[in-house]
Amino acid sequence: MKRLILLGALWLSVSLAFANAIDVYTFDSAEQEARFRALTSELRCPKCQNNSIADSNAELAQDLRQKVHQMLQQGRTDEEIRSFMIARYGNFVTYNPPVTASTLILWLAPALVLVSGMVVMIVRSRRAKQTVNHALSDEEEQRLNALLSSPEQTDVSSNGSSATSVDEQAEQPMSSEHASTQQNKEPK
């Protein structure tokens, strides 16, 4: 039983060692290595989408790093390598997509949002100034004066007629519905 557990642990450690293998690339010069590092850091991993192919551990990123190394060994230029990756994976593979008809909204959206926000602020501030400077009409002034001068009035309706005061309400006869509800409340 001990041998079986030891064999399982050994198999697991060997498989983990191969799973986390580090890519080792040989270069002809330091310039070629610098180009490799620059290219792999500016190309986006199509699978991870937020990592460059230099930072990603995905199998696709490993394949792309291998392809970049292979193309550098063949003597291709940086632009040829970028063009190859764009042709195969689209403009998404670069962090700075070119200005085309399909990416135009990406480039113009921040400016459009900024300009539209400024227009909204200007329009709202002008409307606010107009409402502040607006004087009361003659009818509104009369209603306001009537409210301020007579303390017994309790309410003014929207059409300008005043509501009845408390004394007037006491003098008015009750409606039939109101009277019937009052009778139902009194004990029999």
Side-chain angles (χ1 to χ4, degrees), residues 137-153:
S137 68
D138 291 335
E139 180 183 329
E140 291 172 335
E141 276 190 47
Q142 289 173 358
R143 287 177 48 202
L144 180 61
N145 289 334
L147 278 172
L148 293 175
S149 65
S150 51
E152 65 267 354
Q153 290 182 344

Side-chain angles (χ1 to χ4, degrees), residues 32 68 79 120 124 132:
Q32 194 177 43
V68 169
E79 191 55 42
V120 166
R124 290 189 71 173
V132 168

